[in-house]
PDB file of all heavy atoms in Angstrom:
ATOM      1  N   GLU A1222     -52.828-114.388 118.093  1.00 89.00           N
ATOM      2  CA  GLU A1222     -54.274-114.235 118.272  1.00 89.00           C
ATOM      3  C   GLU A1222     -54.941-115.604 118.398  1.00 89.00           C
ATOM      4  O   GLU A1222     -54.376-116.632 118.008  1.00 89.00           O
ATOM      5  CB  GLU A1222     -54.875-113.475 117.082  1.00 89.00           C
ATOM      6  CG  GLU A1222     -54.247-112.114 116.817  1.00 89.00           C
ATOM      7  CD  GLU A1222     -54.509-111.094 117.908  1.00 89.00           C
ATOM      8  OE1 GLU A1222     -55.445-111.315 118.717  1.00 89.00           O
ATOM      9  OE2 GLU A1222     -53.788-110.085 117.962  1.00 89.00           O
ATOM     10  N   SER A1223     -56.155-115.593 118.912  1.00 85.00           N
ATOM     11  CA  SER A1223     -56.876-116.854 119.142  1.00 85.00           C
ATOM     12  C   SER A1223     -57.192-117.596 117.852  1.00 85.00           C
ATOM     13  O   SER A1223     -57.315-118.824 117.845  1.00 85.00           O
ATOM     14  CB  SER A1223     -58.175-116.584 119.915  1.00 85.00           C
ATOM     15  OG  SER A1223     -59.014-115.709 119.176  1.00 85.00           O
ATOM     16  N   ASP A1224     -57.330-116.856 116.736  1.00 86.00           N
ATOM     17  CA  ASP A1224     -57.673-117.493 115.470  1.00 86.00           C
ATOM     18  C   ASP A1224     -56.464-117.678 114.544  1.00 86.00           C
ATOM     19  O   ASP A1224     -56.613-118.071 113.390  1.00 86.00           O
ATOM     20  CB  ASP A1224     -58.759-116.687 114.751  1.00 86.00           C
ATOM     21  CG  ASP A1224     -58.370-115.230 114.502  1.00 86.00           C
ATOM     22  OD1 ASP A1224     -57.317-114.796 115.024  1.00 86.00           O
ATOM     23  OD2 ASP A1224     -59.112-114.529 113.798  1.00 86.00           O
ATOM     24  N   ASP A1225     -55.253-117.421 115.040  1.00 87.00           N
ATOM     25  CA  ASP A1225     -54.046-117.646 114.233  1.00 87.00           C
ATOM     26  C   ASP A1225     -53.819-119.145 114.030  1.00 87.00           C
ATOM     27  O   ASP A1225     -54.102-119.949 114.923  1.00 87.00           O
ATOM     28  CB  ASP A1225     -52.818-117.051 114.923  1.00 87.00           C
ATOM     29  CG  ASP A1225     -52.689-115.552 114.713  1.00 87.00           C
ATOM     30  OD1 ASP A1225     -53.422-115.012 113.875  1.00 87.00           O
ATOM     31  OD2 ASP A1225     -51.865-114.915 115.410  1.00 87.00           O
ATOM     32  N   GLU A1226     -53.286-119.504 112.856  1.00 91.00           N
ATOM     33  CA  GLU A1226     -52.948-120.899 112.600  1.00 91.00           C
ATOM     34  C   GLU A1226     -51.746-121.258 113.468  1.00 91.00           C
ATOM     35  O   GLU A1226     -50.714-120.586 113.425  1.00 91.00           O
ATOM     36  CB  GLU A1226     -52.610-121.083 111.122  1.00 91.00           C
ATOM     37  CG  GLU A1226     -52.670-122.533 110.647  1.00 91.00           C
ATOM     38  CD  GLU A1226     -51.438-123.325 111.063  1.00 91.00           C
ATOM     39  OE1 GLU A1226     -50.330-122.746 111.028  1.00 91.00           O
ATOM     40  OE2 GLU A1226     -51.583-124.506 111.436  1.00 91.00           O
ATOM     41  N   PRO A1227     -51.861-122.303 114.322  1.00 89.00           N
ATOM     42  CA  PRO A1227     -50.867-122.559 115.364  1.00 89.00           C
ATOM     43  C   PRO A1227     -49.418-122.652 114.899  1.00 89.00           C
ATOM     44  O   PRO A1227     -48.576-121.855 115.338  1.00 89.00           O
ATOM     45  CB  PRO A1227     -51.337-123.883 115.978  1.00 89.00           C
ATOM     46  CG  PRO A1227     -52.810-123.877 115.788  1.00 89.00           C
ATOM     47  CD  PRO A1227     -53.014-123.219 114.450  1.00 89.00           C
ATOM     48  N   VAL A1228     -49.098-123.595 114.035  1.00 91.00           N
ATOM     49  CA  VAL A1228     -47.700-123.818 113.661  1.00 91.00           C
ATOM     50  C   VAL A1228     -47.154-122.625 112.881  1.00 91.00           C
ATOM     51  O   VAL A1228     -46.027-122.170 113.126  1.00 91.00           O
ATOM     52  CB  VAL A1228     -47.556-125.118 112.844  1.00 91.00           C
ATOM     53  CG1 VAL A1228     -46.110-125.297 112.375  1.00 91.00           C
ATOM     54  CG2 VAL A1228     -47.990-126.329 113.681  1.00 91.00           C
ATOM     55  N   LYS A1229     -47.960-122.118 111.969  1.00 92.00           N
ATOM     56  CA  LYS A1229     -47.525-120.972 111.160  1.00 92.00           C
ATOM     57  C   LYS A1229     -47.230-119.754 112.038  1.00 92.00           C
ATOM     58  O   LYS A1229     -46.255-119.028 111.831  1.00 92.00           O
ATOM     59  CB  LYS A1229     -48.606-120.626 110.133  1.00 92.00           C
ATOM     60  CG  LYS A1229     -48.165-119.613 109.087  1.00 92.00           C
ATOM     61  CD  LYS A1229     -49.293-119.313 108.109  1.00 92.00           C
ATOM     62  CE  LYS A1229     -49.609-120.526 107.254  1.00 92.00           C
ATOM     63  NZ  LYS A1229     -50.653-120.234 106.238  1.00 92.00           N
ATOM     64  N   SER A1230     -48.075-119.520 113.052  1.00 91.00           N
ATOM     65  CA  SER A1230     -47.893-118.341 113.907  1.00 91.00           C
ATOM     66  C   SER A1230     -46.626-118.467 114.752  1.00 91.00           C
ATOM     67  O   SER A1230     -45.919-117.484 114.977  1.00 91.00           O
ATOM     68  CB  SER A1230     -49.112-118.149 114.815  1.00 91.00           C
ATOM     69  OG  SER A1230     -49.291-119.254 115.684  1.00 91.00           O
ATOM     70  N   ILE A1231     -46.314-119.679 115.209  1.00 91.00           N
ATOM     71  CA  ILE A1231     -45.094-119.885 115.998  1.00 91.00           C
ATOM     72  C   ILE A1231     -43.850-119.629 115.147  1.00 91.00           C
ATOM     73  O   ILE A1231     -42.855-119.067 115.614  1.00 91.00           O
ATOM     74  CB  ILE A1231     -45.063-121.329 116.566  1.00 91.00           C
ATOM     75  CG1 ILE A1231     -46.106-121.503 117.665  1.00 91.00           C
ATOM     76  CG2 ILE A1231     -43.676-121.693 117.093  1.00 91.00           C
ATOM     77  CD1 ILE A1231     -45.869-120.663 118.891  1.00 91.00           C
ATOM     78  N   ARG A1232     -43.926-120.011 113.867  1.00 91.00           N
ATOM     79  CA  ARG A1232     -42.770-119.855 112.984  1.00 91.00           C
ATOM     80  C   ARG A1232     -42.616-118.426 112.456  1.00 91.00           C
ATOM     81  O   ARG A1232     -41.491-117.966 112.229  1.00 91.00           O
ATOM     82  CB  ARG A1232     -42.893-120.831 111.820  1.00 91.00           C
ATOM     83  CG  ARG A1232     -42.661-122.273 112.245  1.00 91.00           C
ATOM     84  CD  ARG A1232     -42.901-123.249 111.126  1.00 91.00           C
ATOM     85  NE  ARG A1232     -42.546-124.617 111.528  1.00 91.00           N
ATOM     86  CZ  ARG A1232     -42.891-125.709 110.872  1.00 91.00           C
ATOM     87  NH1 ARG A1232     -43.573-125.602 109.740  1.00 91.00           N
ATOM     88  NH2 ARG A1232     -42.535-126.907 111.308  1.00 91.00           N
ATOM     89  N   LYS A1233     -43.735-117.721 112.257  1.00 92.00           N
ATOM     90  CA  LYS A1233     -43.679-116.387 111.656  1.00 92.00           C
ATOM     91  C   LYS A1233     -43.613-115.259 112.681  1.00 92.00           C
ATOM     92  O   LYS A1233     -42.977-114.234 112.447  1.00 92.00           O
ATOM     93  CB  LYS A1233     -44.885-116.189 110.730  1.00 92.00           C
ATOM     94  CG  LYS A1233     -44.803-117.011 109.448  1.00 92.00           C
ATOM     95  CD  LYS A1233     -45.844-116.549 108.442  1.00 92.00           C
ATOM     96  CE  LYS A1233     -45.635-117.225 107.091  1.00 92.00           C
ATOM     97  NZ  LYS A1233     -46.584-116.739 106.069  1.00 92.00           N
ATOM     98  N   LYS A1234     -44.291-115.429 113.805  1.00 92.00           N
ATOM     99  CA  LYS A1234     -44.334-114.369 114.823  1.00 92.00           C
ATOM    100  C   LYS A1234     -43.244-114.611 115.875  1.00 92.00           C
ATOM    101  O   LYS A1234     -43.523-114.967 117.019  1.00 92.00           O
ATOM    102  CB  LYS A1234     -45.720-114.297 115.466  1.00 92.00           C
ATOM    103  CG  LYS A1234     -46.813-113.828 114.514  1.00 92.00           C
ATOM    104  CD  LYS A1234     -48.137-113.615 115.249  1.00 92.00           C
ATOM    105  CE  LYS A1234     -49.180-112.964 114.365  1.00 92.00           C
ATOM    106  NZ  LYS A1234     -50.450-112.699 115.081  1.00 92.00           N
ATOM    107  N   LYS A1235     -42.014-114.394 115.495  1.00 92.00           N
ATOM    108  CA  LYS A1235     -40.872-114.704 116.354  1.00 92.00           C
ATOM    109  C   LYS A1235     -40.825-113.824 117.602  1.00 92.00           C
ATOM    110  O   LYS A1235     -40.195-114.193 118.604  1.00 92.00           O
ATOM    111  CB  LYS A1235     -39.560-114.537 115.576  1.00 92.00           C
ATOM    112  CG  LYS A1235     -39.416-115.465 114.377  1.00 92.00           C
ATOM    113  CD  LYS A1235     -39.296-116.913 114.820  1.00 92.00           C
ATOM    114  CE  LYS A1235     -38.976-117.825 113.639  1.00 92.00           C
ATOM    115  NZ  LYS A1235     -38.928-119.250 114.033  1.00 92.00           N
ATOM    116  N   GLN A1236     -41.453-112.645 117.544  1.00 93.00           N
ATOM    117  CA  GLN A1236     -41.440-111.725 118.680  1.00 93.00           C
ATOM    118  C   GLN A1236     -42.750-111.752 119.468  1.00 93.00           C
ATOM    119  O   GLN A1236     -42.960-110.894 120.336  1.00 93.00           O
ATOM    120  CB  GLN A1236     -41.159-110.294 118.196  1.00 93.00           C
ATOM    121  CG  GLN A1236     -39.777-110.107 117.589  1.00 93.00           C
ATOM    122  CD  GLN A1236     -38.675-110.464 118.570  1.00 93.00           C
ATOM    123  OE1 GLN A1236     -38.636-109.959 119.683  1.00 93.00           O
ATOM    124  NE2 GLN A1236     -37.763-111.346 118.151  1.00 93.00           N
ATOM    125  N   ALA A1237     -43.598-112.727 119.195  1.00 93.00           N
ATOM    126  CA  ALA A1237     -44.852-112.840 119.952  1.00 93.00           C
ATOM    127  C   ALA A1237     -44.552-113.202 121.398  1.00 93.00           C
ATOM    128  O   ALA A1237     -43.577-113.902 121.697  1.00 93.00           O
ATOM    129  CB  ALA A1237     -45.749-113.894 119.315  1.00 93.00           C
ATOM    130  N   SER A1238     -45.394-112.724 122.304  1.00 94.00           N
ATOM    131  CA  SER A1238     -45.169-112.939 123.738  1.00 94.00           C
ATOM    132  C   SER A1238     -45.048-114.423 124.075  1.00 94.00           C
ATOM    133  O   SER A1238     -44.179-114.828 124.855  1.00 94.00           O
ATOM    134  CB  SER A1238     -46.303-112.299 124.550  1.00 94.00           C
ATOM    135  OG  SER A1238     -47.577-112.727 124.087  1.00 94.00           O
ATOM    136  N   MET A1239     -45.877-115.268 123.460  1.00 94.00           N
ATOM    137  CA  MET A1239     -45.820-116.705 123.729  1.00 94.00           C
ATOM    138  C   MET A1239     -44.519-117.317 123.228  1.00 94.00           C
ATOM    139  O   MET A1239     -43.899-118.145 123.919  1.00 94.00           O
ATOM    140  CB  MET A1239     -47.007-117.424 123.071  1.00 94.00           C
ATOM    141  CG  MET A1239     -47.062-118.910 123.357  1.00 94.00           C
ATOM    142  SD  MET A1239     -48.315-119.765 122.366  1.00 94.00           S
ATOM    143  CE  MET A1239     -49.831-119.094 123.037  1.00 94.00           C
ATOM    144  N   VAL A1240     -44.090-116.925 122.051  1.00 95.00           N
ATOM    145  CA  VAL A1240     -42.873-117.484 121.450  1.00 95.00           C
ATOM    146  C   VAL A1240     -41.641-117.079 122.263  1.00 95.00           C
ATOM    147  O   VAL A1240     -40.753-117.900 122.535  1.00 95.00           O
ATOM    148  CB  VAL A1240     -42.729-117.040 119.987  1.00 95.00           C
ATOM    149  CG1 VAL A1240     -41.425-117.552 119.387  1.00 95.00           C
ATOM    150  CG2 VAL A1240     -43.910-117.531 119.164  1.00 95.00           C
ATOM    151  N   LEU A1241     -41.584-115.825 122.682  1.00 95.00           N
ATOM    152  CA  LEU A1241     -40.453-115.357 123.476  1.00 95.00           C
ATOM    153  C   LEU A1241     -40.402-116.078 124.821  1.00 95.00           C
ATOM    154  O   LEU A1241     -39.310-116.413 125.316  1.00 95.00           O
ATOM    155  CB  LEU A1241     -40.559-113.846 123.697  1.00 95.00           C
ATOM    156  CG  LEU A1241     -40.341-112.960 122.467  1.00 95.00           C
ATOM    157  CD1 LEU A1241     -40.567-111.495 122.828  1.00 95.00           C
ATOM    158  CD2 LEU A1241     -38.948-113.153 121.881  1.00 95.00           C
ATOM    159  N   ALA A1242     -41.573-116.327 125.412  1.00 95.00           N
ATOM    160  CA  ALA A1242     -41.619-117.050 126.687  1.00 95.00           C
ATOM    161  C   ALA A1242     -41.116-118.479 126.518  1.00 95.00           C
ATOM    162  O   ALA A1242     -40.356-118.993 127.346  1.00 95.00           O
ATOM    163  CB  ALA A1242     -43.043-117.037 127.243  1.00 95.00           C
ATOM    164  N   ALA A1243     -41.536-119.134 125.434  1.00 95.00           N
ATOM    165  CA  ALA A1243     -41.073-120.496 125.168  1.00 95.00           C
ATOM    166  C   ALA A1243     -39.579-120.527 124.893  1.00 95.00           C
ATOM    167  O   ALA A1243     -38.857-121.436 125.324  1.00 95.00           O
ATOM    168  CB  ALA A1243     -41.838-121.075 123.978  1.00 95.00           C
ATOM    169  N   GLN A1244     -39.086-119.519 124.179  1.00 95.00           N
ATOM    170  CA  GLN A1244     -37.666-119.442 123.874  1.00 95.00           C
ATOM    171  C   GLN A1244     -36.839-119.271 125.150  1.00 95.00           C
ATOM    172  O   GLN A1244     -35.737-119.809 125.275  1.00 95.00           O
ATOM    173  CB  GLN A1244     -37.410-118.274 122.918  1.00 95.00           C
ATOM    174  CG  GLN A1244     -36.041-118.289 122.258  1.00 95.00           C
ATOM    175  CD  GLN A1244     -35.844-119.466 121.309  1.00 95.00           C
ATOM    176  OE1 GLN A1244     -36.697-119.744 120.480  1.00 95.00           O
ATOM    177  NE2 GLN A1244     -34.711-120.153 121.447  1.00 95.00           N
ATOM    178  N   ALA A1245     -37.399-118.533 126.109  1.00 95.00           N
ATOM    179  CA  ALA A1245     -36.700-118.335 127.386  1.00 95.00           C
ATOM    180  C   ALA A1245     -36.521-119.665 128.110  1.00 95.00           C
ATOM    181  O   ALA A1245     -35.483-119.915 128.732  1.00 95.00           O
ATOM    182  CB  ALA A1245     -37.482-117.356 128.263  1.00 95.00           C
ATOM    183  N   VAL A1246     -37.525-120.540 128.019  1.00 95.00           N
ATOM    184  CA  VAL A1246     -37.419-121.866 128.634  1.00 95.00           C
ATOM    185  C   VAL A1246     -36.360-122.692 127.904  1.00 95.00           C
ATOM    186  O   VAL A1246     -35.521-123.345 128.531  1.00 95.00           O
ATOM    187  CB  VAL A1246     -38.785-122.587 128.620  1.00 95.00           C
ATOM    188  CG1 VAL A1246     -38.647-124.016 129.131  1.00 95.00           C
ATOM    189  CG2 VAL A1246     -39.797-121.817 129.464  1.00 95.00           C
ATOM    190  N   LYS A1247     -36.394-122.651 126.592  1.00 95.00           N
ATOM    191  CA  LYS A1247     -35.408-123.403 125.808  1.00 95.00           C
ATOM    192  C   LYS A1247     -33.984-122.955 126.133  1.00 95.00           C
ATOM    193  O   LYS A1247     -33.063-123.774 126.232  1.00 95.00           O
ATOM    194  CB  LYS A1247     -35.676-123.221 124.314  1.00 95.00           C
ATOM    195  CG  LYS A1247     -34.685-123.975 123.434  1.00 95.00           C
ATOM    196  CD  LYS A1247     -34.953-123.754 121.959  1.00 95.00           C
ATOM    197  CE  LYS A1247     -33.940-124.510 121.112  1.00 95.00           C
ATOM    198  NZ  LYS A1247     -34.162-124.304 119.656  1.00 95.00           N
ATOM    199  N   ASN A1248     -33.800-121.649 126.323  1.00 95.00           N
ATOM    200  CA  ASN A1248     -32.471-121.095 126.570  1.00 95.00           C
ATOM    201  C   ASN A1248     -32.026-121.235 128.026  1.00 95.00           C
ATOM    202  O   ASN A1248     -30.916-120.821 128.379  1.00 95.00           O
ATOM    203  CB  ASN A1248     -32.434-119.616 126.173  1.00 95.00           C
ATOM    204  CG  ASN A1248     -32.627-119.407 124.680  1.00 95.00           C
ATOM    205  OD1 ASN A1248     -32.466-120.337 123.883  1.00 95.00           O
ATOM    206  ND2 ASN A1248     -33.000-118.195 124.293  1.00 95.00           N
TER     207      ASN A1248
END
């Protein structure tokens, strides 16, 4: 969400659309 704390949200929301997209680039 727009008001989520950035670093915490990346670490906790492993299935978030943004995190999965970034993981696809890493992989």
Side-chain angles (χ1 to χ4, degrees):
E1222 304 293 343
S1223 60
D1224 57 352
D1225 280 349
E1226 198 282 322
V1228 176
K1229 190 180 292 183
S1230 62
I1231 289 295
R1232 288 175 175 166
K1233 289 193 172 183
K1234 293 187 172 182
K1235 298 293 187 183
Q1236 295 301 307
S1238 52
M1239 183 189 292
V1240 177
L1241 290 176
Q1244 194 66 48
V1246 174
K1247 180 181 179 181
N1248 295 342

